[in-house]
Amino acid sequence: MNLCASTDGIFNNLSVPFNKVKAKSASYMAADLVSVGDSWLSFAIKKRLIEPIAGTEDQDWFKYLSQKWKVYLRRNDAGEIDPRGKIWAAPYRWGTTVIASKKSKFRKHNLAPIEDWKDLWQPELAGRISMVNSPREVIGSVLKYRGASYNSNDIDSQVAGGKIAVQQNLALLANQVDPGKFNKVLVWRSEIGLCNSGVFQVRLFDSTYHLKAFAIGDVWVAVGWISDVLPAVKRMSSVAVVVPKSGASCLPFYFDIHIAIRAASRLETKQIGGRVRGPSPLIHQWIEFCLQTARALPFKQEVIPGASPSALESTLVKLPEELLEGKPSLDTNLIAGVLPAEILARFEFLEPLSEATLSDYEWLVVNLQKPAPVLMKRVQHYLSSLIQSFLARATLKS
């Protein structure tokens, strides 16, 4: 096992052209399995950075996966979900999007606790929210607020009010408050020392610093991925963490077979050993080991944030008190690190976006109108950078 600081680093190494790789036994070229996040799975398939896992249908680890996993993992060569496709990955962990809030600030200012996506639009939270730098989450939060799906592939027909309504809610999320409540909020902002000029609901879109801003109190609410949020808030006091009750996105992490199986055979080197002949025959045993029921315990004890693949449909079991003794309590609706059943029924895998949907995302940015030119430029800069970042990683045409 060779540990990497982040899945971004793994993916960047996988994307290096083979003719620029120094092929050694410890390099990514020689790996039998690599770990990638869900965001890059379709791209990795499309660009042939990974290859299908052969013989999955006969393996116990695959037979015991829920049907939801099997449907989601089966992809065609373009990375699209396809019932006739191949199995390209094995899940070993999954998480979701959560909202963390500072209870002390909410009590002090007599604010209702965060429970769902709609609460992010409270005018009193203007300038007090940080959020991950992800267009799927930013626009997805608006879609969920509108009662639609993260995976809406035709916003005009699947979302009440269509793109216009989504654009208006998106503008409010990253803009001034509702004009109808503006005077009331001006007074409230001045009472807490918050500048009234050009304040956005979301103060910061950043996947690195959104939790740092939350930790030092610059913002009172942070929207992020459970794998980042839980380790951070456990070092804080008076914090609540909730999964929005209308549902959130599912963020799986996978083991994939590196495409070097075939490409490595073209290299004039013997430094990667038998890797040129194919993957190790032990890969299925390794996946089987990682998916054992006993290995779900660290997730349930919240030693590792997230949940095992089996938790997607299994009955939640309360941990013995002795395993929880001495652990700091956290105000959350998570049960042993897993979503409660009523929210689990509403959560969504993030499916690959079609070209038409990406065009809708671009439209939302281009047509974002603000009451002042400066604000319009700031919002367009924020969201354009989000879209460009997403498209760059997925190399999909905008």
Side-chain angles (χ1 to χ4, degrees):
M1 169 131 5
N2 184 18
L3 299 179
C4 185
S6 68
T7 52
D8 302 53
I10 295 174
F11 186 77
N12 289 337
N13 277 281
L14 289 181
S15 302
V16 175
F18 286 114
N19 59 2
K20 296 183 180 181
V21 174
K22 293 182 179 179
K24 297 182 179 179
S25 60
S27 70
Y28 289 84
M29 179 67 71
D32 291 291
L33 294 171
V34 292
S35 176
V36 300
D38 181 66
S39 301
W40 298 293
L41 182 61
S42 292
F43 174 78
I45 294 172
K46 188 175 182 179
K47 293 300 181 180
R48 308 299 293 168
L49 300 180
I50 60 174
E51 70 171 21
I53 303 178
T56 53
E57 305 285 352
D58 299 325
Q59 301 299 320
D60 286 342
W61 68 263
F62 183 76
K63 293 176 182 177
Y64 294 142
L65 281 179
S66 76
Q67 189 61 27
K68 288 182 180 179
W69 283 115
K70 293 177 182 178
V71 169
Y72 192 68
L73 296 175
R74 203 175 289 280
R75 309 287 181 99
N76 58 29
D77 290 344
E80 301 164 339
I81 296 173
D82 186 340
R84 297 182 299 275
K86 302 171 184 176
I87 301 299
W88 294 80
Y92 67 89
R93 175 166 67 106
W94 64 277
T96 188
T97 310
V98 294
I99 303 176
S101 58
K102 290 188 172 292
K103 295 193 295 182
S104 57
K105 296 292 187 181
F106 276 62
R107 285 195 298 265
K108 180 179 179 181
H109 298 287
N110 197 30
L111 300 177
I114 296 282
E115 293 184 347
D116 209 351
W117 294 110
K118 63 180 178 59
D119 298 323
L120 297 180
W121 278 262
Q122 293 182 68
E124 294 84 359
L125 292 179
R128 297 299 187 184
I129 302 172
S130 63
M131 201 167 186
V132 289
N133 182 8
S134 166
R136 290 301 298 269
E137 295 298 344
V138 175
I139 296 179
S141 66
V142 178
L143 294 175
K144 295 301 290 184
Y145 172 55
R146 300 293 305 177
S149 165
Y150 268 94
N151 299 312
S152 299
N153 53 33
D154 187 340
I155 293 178
D156 274 328
S157 65
Q158 296 177 336
V159 182
K163 291 197 293 285
I164 297 297
V166 172
Q167 178 265 321
Q168 290 172 347
N169 288 131
L170 191 60
L172 288 174
L173 187 64
N175 184 27
Q176 294 170 314
V177 298
D178 184 343
K181 300 179 181 178
F182 189 67
N183 291 333
K184 173 185 175 182
V185 177
L186 283 181
V187 175
W188 180 84
R189 287 182 184 172
S190 63
E191 289 176 352
I192 64 172
L194 184 63
C195 176
N196 287 320
S197 176
V199 176
F200 299 88
Q201 284 294 101
V202 177
R203 181 171 183 170
L204 176 68
F205 292 102
D206 192 290
S207 298
T208 302
Y209 296 105
H210 67 301
L211 290 173
K212 294 181 180 179
F214 182 72
I216 63 177
D218 281 353
V219 297
W220 303 346
V221 176
V223 182
W225 299 304
I226 191 172
S227 55
D228 298 327
V229 173
L230 283 189
V233 302
K234 285 180 179 180
R235 300 189 294 269
M236 307 177 197
S237 59
S238 190
V239 172
V241 176
V242 299
V243 181
K245 63 183 183 181
S246 62
S249 61
C250 176
L251 310 166
F253 293 85
Y254 304 111
F255 288 126
D256 299 289
I257 297 184
H258 192 183
I259 194 63
I261 292 170
R262 288 197 294 269
S265 62
R266 301 198 302 266
L267 297 174
E268 295 181 2
T269 179
K270 295 182 180 179
Q271 295 187 54
I272 61 173
R275 191 66 181 84
V276 296
R277 294 188 295 273
S280 167
L282 301 177
I283 59 170
H284 286 295
Q285 287 91 321
W286 171 252
I287 297 173
E288 187 87 38
F289 167 73
C290 291
L291 297 183
Q292 288 179 39
T293 303
R295 294 190 61 78
L297 187 59
F299 296 114
K300 295 178 181 178
Q301 292 179 301
E302 298 178 8
V303 175
I304 302 174
S308 67
S310 61
L312 196 59
E313 290 186 337
S314 61
T315 303
L316 295 175
V317 178
K318 188 175 181 180
L319 289 177
E321 291 297 328
E322 58 267 22
L323 293 179
L324 301 174
E325 188 175 350
K327 291 184 61 177
S329 60
L330 180 65
D331 186 356
T332 180
N333 59 355
L334 294 165
I335 304 172
V338 180
L339 286 64
E342 64 274 13
I343 297 179
L344 189 59
R346 304 186 191 104
F347 97 114
E348 300 179 66
F349 284 108
L350 292 183
E351 299 174 3
L353 293 176
S354 66
E355 294 288 334
T357 308
L358 284 170
S359 296
D360 283 347
Y361 275 45
E362 184 181 19
W363 184 93
L364 290 171
V365 175
V366 172
N367 291 278
L368 191 60
Q369 299 297 319
K370 310 305 293 179
V374 174
L375 292 180
M376 182 173 67
K377 290 180 181 178
R378 288 178 65 185
V379 172
Q380 289 182 338
H381 172 74
Y382 270 129
L383 293 179
S384 292
S385 66
L386 296 183
I387 298 293
Q388 289 168 9
S389 173
F390 175 76
L391 294 178
R393 289 182 177 179
T395 64
L396 294 175
K397 184 179 178 181
S398 66

